[in-house]
Amino acid sequence: MGRRPNESNNPWGLTEREAEVLEHYQEVGHAKGVATQLGVSSRTVESHLARIRAKMRVETSAAAIARYAREAVGSATVDADFVNGKARESTPRPRRTFMVIATTLAGAIGVLALAGAIYSKPKLLADSAADFGSEQGYRNWFYGYFSEPNLPGEFRLMSDFGPGGWMVHRETFYTRLWADGAHPNGRKTTGLTLQVEQWPVRRWVSPVSGTLIVQLEFRKDNFSASSNGVGLLVYHRGAEIWRHKISGVDGIGISHSLRLEVKKGDPIDFALDPLFSDDGADATITRFRILR
């Protein structure tokens, strides 16, 4: 990503440490890998990333990296893999970079043309928060749940929609989906809800074939030491491809990107697990963007 920020190429006020975190995140693509490289905890890395996103006014760490490479004055190198949306593997590899030196007017024009090709933005196909609505299938989103005894099991559609969003059954289960969040139901529950484990699930059905980038955000909505945390799982055609869990007081959470090869009609499921079937204080913020 080039040299460390200074006053001329750092309009966001990133610290040396934040720039270092951003550079390592570019290499490995996830906070755990950055933590390993820097010898710190994943929570510390997530805190740095949250501050970076706030300073740069972007919603994902991938967007922060792309914006830094695009807008930092004097940054001589660009990581072509990351700008094109290719998340790095956990094992650090030598960075593939290129440098274009404009020494003449013709050379400068060539640089501008190349930069325009590199920085063409992927097309946004879906945004779980912006697309949310009262109609099943709108913009290829479906709202449902997995239920015991065979979790994850069969995807079942929710049928109850109201001011609180989609529900399995009002006042019977906590299982619910709203624009930017979800709440599961567990066998260990509160109030008068039935003691059944259910995972709320957003399903997006791909209208295209090809390579997709899935950007996800995941953090707790209500913080309580009584919560044992929640888990987010992603399934492609019914097979689990990613999972992560956060504590009951993690208001920072994570931002992560996945790269998928899909066929038209493939389902991608985003499910919220109450962990150990305990749904206490499990309201969680989730958001998923799918790009091509």
Side-chain angles (χ1 to χ4, degrees):
M1 189 148 43
R3 62 190 182 184
R4 290 286 189 272
N6 53 47
E7 291 183 358
S8 65
N9 68 4
N10 180 24
W12 313 282
L14 300 183
T15 65
E16 290 272 343
R17 188 60 162 177
E18 288 167 349
E20 185 179 17
V21 168
L22 201 58
E23 183 171 342
H24 283 277
Y25 190 89
Q26 178 190 12
E27 291 183 358
V28 299
H30 53 83
K32 186 176 181 180
V34 177
T36 300
Q37 290 189 354
L38 296 182
V40 298
S41 68
S42 296
R43 180 180 292 274
T44 297
V45 173
E46 293 293 355
S47 297
H48 282 303
L49 291 172
R51 286 193 292 271
I52 290 168
R53 293 193 296 270
K55 287 181 178 181
M56 300 184 75
R57 297 184 179 180
V58 295
E59 295 185 351
T60 67
S61 299
I65 291 172
R67 186 174 183 188
Y68 184 89
R70 180 172 63 249
E71 298 181 13
V73 178
S75 181
T77 60
V78 177
D79 191 304
D81 267 5
F82 197 92
V83 172
N84 282 314
K86 298 179 181 178
R88 294 299 187 90
E89 296 176 356
S90 296
T91 303
R93 299 174 295 172
R95 197 172 307 150
R96 292 172 290 175
T97 60
F98 69 88
M99 181 181 294
V100 180
I101 304 176
T103 57
T104 64
L105 178 60
I109 293 174
V111 171
L112 291 174
L114 183 59
I118 291 175
Y119 293 122
S120 57
K121 293 183 178 180
K123 179 182 178 182
L124 180 65
L125 297 181
D127 183 323
S128 63
D131 298 341
F132 186 79
S134 60
E135 180 182 348
Q136 292 279 11
Y138 175 67
R139 296 188 62 82
N140 300 300
W141 288 101
F142 296 85
Y143 307 98
Y145 63 103
F146 297 147
S147 183
E148 60 177 350
N150 298 314
L151 289 166
E154 177 187 0
F155 175 75
R156 307 176 187 181
L157 288 173
M158 293 179 175
S159 58
D160 190 347
F161 183 83
W166 284 97
M167 291 158 277
V168 174
H169 191 279
R170 197 180 309 270
E171 299 180 358
T172 303
F173 303 104
Y174 277 127
T175 319
R176 184 161 62 95
L177 291 163
W178 58 96
D180 62 349
H183 195 296
N185 199 85
R187 290 190 297 276
K188 184 178 180 181
T189 187
T190 57
L192 299 177
T193 56
L194 296 184
Q195 297 176 350
V196 176
E197 184 170 353
Q198 294 177 342
W199 301 359
V201 180
R202 292 176 206 266
R203 168 171 287 186
W204 185 76
V205 178
S206 178
V208 298
S209 298
T211 303
L212 301 181
I213 300 170
V214 179
Q215 298 176 341
L216 57 88
E217 297 175 34
F218 173 44
R219 64 183 186 274
K220 282 301 300 299
D221 187 11
N222 59 335
F223 315 135
S224 173
S226 64
S227 171
N228 66 333
V230 288
L232 180 65
L233 299 93
V234 182
Y235 298 86
H236 176 213
R237 290 194 299 235
E240 181 185 322
I241 60 172
W242 185 86
R243 72 163 61 199
H244 188 83
K245 64 180 180 180
I246 58 176
S247 74
V249 293
D250 189 351
I252 296 176
I254 65 164
S255 296
H256 189 72
S257 293
L258 302 171
R259 194 175 183 86
L260 294 180
E261 296 295 331
V262 303
K263 295 181 180 180
K264 184 177 181 180
D266 278 1
I268 302 173
D269 294 330
F270 305 93
L272 189 67
D273 177 359
L275 297 183
F276 304 104
S277 203
D278 183 347
D279 67 22
D282 274 355
T284 305
I285 298 296
T286 60
R287 188 166 187 173
F288 312 104
R289 294 178 179 85
I290 301 173
L291 304 94
R292 184 185 187 192

